[in-house]
Amino acid sequence: MIVTRFAPSPTGTLHVGNIRTALHNWMWARRQGGRFLLRIDDTDRARSEERFVESIRADLHWLGLVPDGEERQSARFDRYEARFAELKAAGRVYPAYESAQELELKRKILLGRGLPPIYDRAALALGEDERAALEAEGRTPHWRFRLGGDALDWDDLIRGPQHFAAAAMSDPVVRRADGSWLYLLPSVIDDIDMGITHVVRGEDHVSNTALQIDMFRALGAAPPAFAHEALLTGSEGKLSKRLGSLGVDHFREAGIEPEAVVALLARIGTSQPVEPLVDRAPLVAGFDFAHFGRAPARFDEAELAGVNARIVHQLPYDAVRERLPAGIGAEAWDAIRPNLERVADAAEWWGVIEGPVAATADPADRDFLIQAAAIAESIDWSADPWHALTGALKDASGRKGKPLFLPLRRALTGRDHGPDMAALARLIGRDRAIERLRAAG
Ligand code: GLU
């Protein structure tokens, strides 16, 4: 059974980069008939806030990425304690007493000598007496994980074979002097306990993965598969600050449909084209880490708006009826839909149908419009009034093409462009049409 997890820290709302990670975890689980978990990484109690937990859940719900289960790190401290005790007994975690200033000094000395700033494991060499002496001085230790001597390798599902030498890395700090947890170890304990088979996350975690692979082994578990995605960049090609502020609230306010977000984020950064799919099943069916490239994925808001418009054009009436102004029926929706960029813009066209419309006619068209009003009174409005009207007007006025159609569109809608007039004319109806033609003429 495939199990993935999306593991945000509830220290803010989700942004487009997190949403993309959540989506890919969801897609992979769906594709494989597996489970997708939401794991709230709230070990940092000072920075985690309940309102962000709620907004994360609500955002996933809006996006249709509903988790099959939810876990919270803050409910699992006992478990971390127990596994930490095992690592301690096995000598895989050790207390270290250096202050931040002392560590900084060590770094500077190494860098000054042209050496990599790797922690020297001085704390590992301390004897029982020395530790006792430091503690008597009032020092409380933080805890480091002792890396094994092995090569820390994995075959990344996106990046291919990865190699890190444990000897070239510092033993990571896993627990602070106040007993609080850093991200690395609890995440591994959770991934083991929750049976996570695939860790899908941003490539900013690549070096963490090397460390975590050693932690999986130290805890007697086989590491899961890893897929590290290239990060998102803005349309200008740079890592942009703006991306960090773009989330579901922004999309919703901009009239972006969840399916547009999904269709775009499923495919940018992959070899597959972005397609305006209203149905996510084909996206899921075709999802494969092998399609992901190593180059950053470009997120362009204008592209999202374009995908959104093409999705809106396909949305069936039943999918939108609750969001439409009262009175709009399926026929009106079908007529208006091709002209919309956002569902909310339907209100504007509904206003055009219902009126009043402010139409101004060219003085040269006045007689023509009076003629049109007279014909509008005589034709049958039950079938295809637009063709009946324009056919009769063409014969009566000798006009054709734009001089025939544009003054009518202007008089009936107050605009030069818009939905198909055959559909609009039916929706505007006989009485309103005659009144508008007369008023303009
Ligand atoms: N809370 C971590 C983050 O948001 C989770 C990383 C992971 O997926 O393991 O970066």
Side-chain angles (χ1 to χ4, degrees):
M1 164 75 111
I2 297 295
V3 188
T4 64
R5 86 291 194 284
F6 171 52
S9 303
T11 55
T13 53
L14 298 183
H15 57 71
V16 57
N18 311 130
I19 292 171
R20 178 168 172 255
T21 303
L23 173 65
H24 295 157
N25 275 285
W26 179 86
M27 290 175 89
W28 184 241
R30 283 292 157 277
R31 160 92 206 263
Q32 302 292 330
R35 280 166 60 75
F36 165 67
L37 303 181
L38 170 62
R39 186 184 85 198
I40 302 292
D41 280 7
D42 57 350
T43 56
D44 186 339
R45 290 186 140 163
R47 292 179 58 230
S48 299
E49 291 183 46
E50 204 52 33
R51 66 189 171 112
F52 293 130
V53 175
E54 277 152 27
S55 85
I56 289 166
R57 286 190 198 122
D59 287 357
L60 291 179
H61 183 83
W62 185 81
L63 290 157
L65 309 179
V66 182
D68 300 307
E70 184 180 310
E71 300 280 353
R72 274 182 98 122
Q73 291 197 318
S74 60
R76 293 176 43 80
F77 289 133
D78 290 351
R79 182 65 184 147
Y80 305 150
E81 205 65 69
R83 298 245 62 189
F84 181 77
E86 287 173 46
L87 291 174
K88 202 162 133 188
R92 292 304 301 268
V93 290
Y94 60 92
Y97 296 84
E98 294 92 344
S99 67
Q101 293 92 314
E102 285 164 343
L103 290 171
E104 189 49 32
L105 189 62
K106 285 187 188 208
R107 271 174 56 85
K108 281 196 178 141
I109 292 171
L110 289 169
L111 289 170
R113 290 195 202 135
L115 296 170
I118 299 168
Y119 176 62
D120 61 8
R121 289 186 162 169
L124 195 53
L126 295 173
E128 198 70 47
D129 299 351
E130 291 161 302
R131 286 207 290 268
L134 286 164
E135 285 178 28
E137 263 176 36
R139 296 208 190 204
T140 328
H142 54 274
W143 295 81
R144 287 186 186 262
F145 175 78
R146 182 171 63 75
L147 290 169
D150 309 312
L152 305 174
D153 295 349
W154 76 97
D155 199 359
D156 196 276
L157 294 172
I158 294 175
R159 297 166 63 86
Q162 302 291 299
H163 171 78
F164 284 81
M169 304 182 86
S170 295
D171 288 341
V173 177
V174 291
R175 201 170 184 183
R176 299 185 190 89
D178 65 4
S180 65
W181 301 97
L182 284 115
Y183 149 77
L184 287 171
L185 184 60
S187 180
V188 171
I189 296 170
D190 290 345
D191 287 341
I192 296 170
D193 288 354
M194 295 162 200
I196 302 301
T197 58
H198 292 76
V199 170
V200 181
R201 58 190 181 188
E203 66 181 9
D204 49 330
H205 280 287
V206 165
S207 59
N208 284 339
T209 297
L211 302 169
Q212 288 180 320
I213 280 184
D214 209 28
M215 295 178 187
F216 278 100
R217 292 184 186 142
L219 290 165
F226 288 93
H228 290 92
E229 328 188 298
L231 300 181
L232 277 189
T233 65
S235 51
E236 65 286 358
K238 286 187 306 208
L239 273 173
S240 100
K241 252 196 159 169
R242 173 149 177 80
L243 289 186
S245 67
L246 288 186
V248 165
D249 284 351
H250 171 84
F251 295 143
R252 207 192 267 136
E253 273 158 37
I256 301 291
E257 302 295 315
E259 294 315 317
V261 178
V262 166
L264 185 76
L265 294 181
R267 294 280 180 82
I268 52 172
T270 77
S271 54
Q272 295 179 294
V274 171
E275 296 172 274
L277 298 174
V278 261
D279 175 9
R280 47 180 88 176
L283 291 171
V284 169
F287 183 82
D288 194 332
F289 294 113
H291 296 142
F292 283 76
R294 294 282 301 267
R298 265 183 185 226
F299 175 80
D300 182 348
E301 278 191 87
E303 186 179 14
L304 178 62
V307 170
N308 190 61
R310 288 185 289 157
I311 281 179
V312 169
H313 300 165
Q314 303 168 63
L315 290 175
Y317 177 64
D318 282 341
V320 294
R321 66 191 305 166
E322 275 151 36
R323 291 190 282 152
L324 297 177
I328 292 203
E331 194 194 347
W333 170 249
D334 288 347
I336 290 170
R337 183 173 76 159
N339 280 76
L340 302 179
E341 289 184 7
R342 311 171 316 157
V343 172
D345 298 339
E348 186 193 332
W349 289 109
W350 184 238
V352 167
I353 291 166
E354 293 225 293
V357 299
T360 50
D362 190 319
D365 291 327
R366 294 231 161 98
D367 290 343
F368 168 75
L369 291 167
I370 297 292
Q371 205 175 10
I375 292 175
E377 277 183 292
S378 68
I379 58 167
D380 172 11
W381 278 81
S382 64
D384 184 356
W386 178 249
H387 288 104
L389 173 67
T390 53
L393 254 177
K394 188 177 170 187
D395 296 341
S397 68
R399 292 191 183 204
K400 56 182 181 180
K402 199 170 162 186
L404 172 67
F405 297 114
L406 188 59
L408 293 176
R409 178 182 281 281
R410 280 189 182 148
L412 292 171
T413 70
R415 286 161 173 73
D416 286 3
H417 305 281
D420 173 37
M421 280 306 301
L424 277 187
R426 254 195 322 269
L427 291 160
I428 291 168
R430 182 179 191 277
D431 296 349
R432 286 187 295 219
I434 293 167
E435 184 192 308
R436 289 179 200 181
L437 292 168
R438 277 207 195 116

